[in-house]
Amino acid sequence: MKIVRAKFNGEIFYGELIDDEVLRYEGSPFVVWEPSEEKYSLNEITLLSPVLPSKVTGVAKNYFKHAVELGVHDYSAPRNPVFFNKPSTSVIGTGESIIYPKIAQHVDHEAELAVVIGKLSKNLTSENWKEHVLGYTIANDLSERVLQGQDGTFNGNFTRAKSFDTFCPLGPVIQTDFEENPELDIKCYVNDELKQDGNTKDMIFSIGEIVEFVSSIMTLLPGDVILTGTPDGVSKVFPGDEIKIEIESIGTLVNLVQ
């Protein structure tokens, strides 16, 4: 199932994307929801971020080639995932504008597979983590590299660099049919020029390892999102650029930098 969150005539609702139509549901996939008889074409509605998380947790440098392109030439995987949090106010949906911060000097796109938590979760294990995940979506973990620290270490301020409003586009859907260790192509285009071309099979820490580790530290609430890292090929973006991210079986996330 492909779950969407949408707006029609001022009303916000969840639904299921079936071909080019959205079947409206009453309620929420995180509690109780039931299909209605209402259907809308995609040009009748506005797709929103498919979820409103209480927090977004991201894993840093989870692809070797990305670590190298950031200057860590002798990079070796840490014992555990290194992660950071982005606030809920950084989340926007497909079609919404990314606001370029006034103080920004170097903003990069980062195409990522994102995990959407479906249940209250704490201390998950490799045996039960899938039961607590609603599905996967697409994320763009935008980052201001000067604030993050450009020396390839973790000496910069990750929170400040990644927490600007609109710095976490999500969508367009939550794909509930997912594999434990997916091998999904991730592509990112800037103004239709291919920049990132990777695959989730190259992640250092698997999704299960990431979810298990993060949930051992903090309670994950229904709707929370975990970003699994980005492949190499990140590049600088500017106001006026269009960023398009594609992940097979999920869809395409499109945002304009403003």
Side-chain angles (χ1 to χ4, degrees), residues 36-246:
S36 71
E37 296 182 355
E38 297 180 46
K39 290 184 178 180
Y40 309 98
S41 63
L42 286 175
N43 59 13
E44 288 182 288
I45 61 175
T46 301
L47 291 181
L48 307 174
S49 167
V51 67
L52 288 176
S54 73
K55 56 186 172 291
V56 177
T57 299
V59 177
K61 299 180 176 67
N62 199 31
Y63 291 75
F64 278 111
K65 289 183 179 179
H66 174 57
V68 170
E69 76 177 349
L70 291 185
V72 192
H73 298 293
D74 57 348
Y75 184 68
S76 59
R79 182 174 180 182
N80 295 305
V82 176
F83 68 87
F84 55 88
N85 283 334
K86 296 170 79 91
S88 59
T89 48
S90 66
V91 173
I92 59 173
T94 191
E96 294 188 72
S97 294
I98 298 162
I99 306 303
Y100 197 90
K102 291 181 180 179
I103 65 171
Q105 300 178 56
H106 183 145
V107 176
D108 278 353
H109 59 79
E110 294 190 23
E112 309 200 11
L113 180 70
V115 179
V116 180
I117 301 299
K119 302 177 183 179
L120 185 70
S121 303
K122 179 65 177 174
N123 294 323
L124 300 183
T125 69
S126 57
E127 286 75 33
N128 69 3
W129 72 266
K130 283 187 67 179
E131 303 168 16
H132 290 252
V133 169
L134 178 63
Y136 297 157
T137 191
I138 302 171
N140 187 355
D141 175 26
L142 290 142
S143 306
E144 210 297 335
R145 296 300 188 201
V146 175
L147 298 178
Q148 182 177 327
Q150 291 182 306
D151 56 0
T153 70
F154 295 101
N155 295 327
N157 190 324
F158 266 53
T159 298
R160 188 181 182 196
K162 293 173 173 283
S163 293
F164 289 99
D165 290 351
T166 74
F167 263 37
C168 189
L170 297 175
V173 306
I174 301 170
Q175 172 60 268
T176 63
D177 299 322
F178 62 91
E179 296 181 359
E180 183 173 338
N181 295 300
E183 296 186 4
L184 301 174
D185 288 333
I186 301 177
K187 298 181 185 295
C188 180
Y189 300 83
V190 178
N191 302 324
D192 293 325
E193 180 182 349
L194 181 62
K195 295 291 188 179
Q196 291 182 270
D197 188 3
N199 191 287
T200 56
K201 68 182 180 182
D202 296 323
M203 289 193 294
I204 297 169
F205 292 102
S206 69
I207 294 172
E209 290 171 326
I210 292 168
V211 173
E212 181 176 357
F213 183 69
V214 172
S215 70
S216 73
I217 297 163
M218 65 182 79
T219 298
L220 298 171
L221 304 180
D224 281 352
V225 172
I226 297 177
L227 312 182
T228 60
T230 193
D232 61 300
V234 301
S235 66
K236 194 173 182 179
V237 295
F238 302 88
D241 287 343
E242 180 189 69
I243 306 171
K244 181 170 64 177
I245 300 172
E246 298 176 350

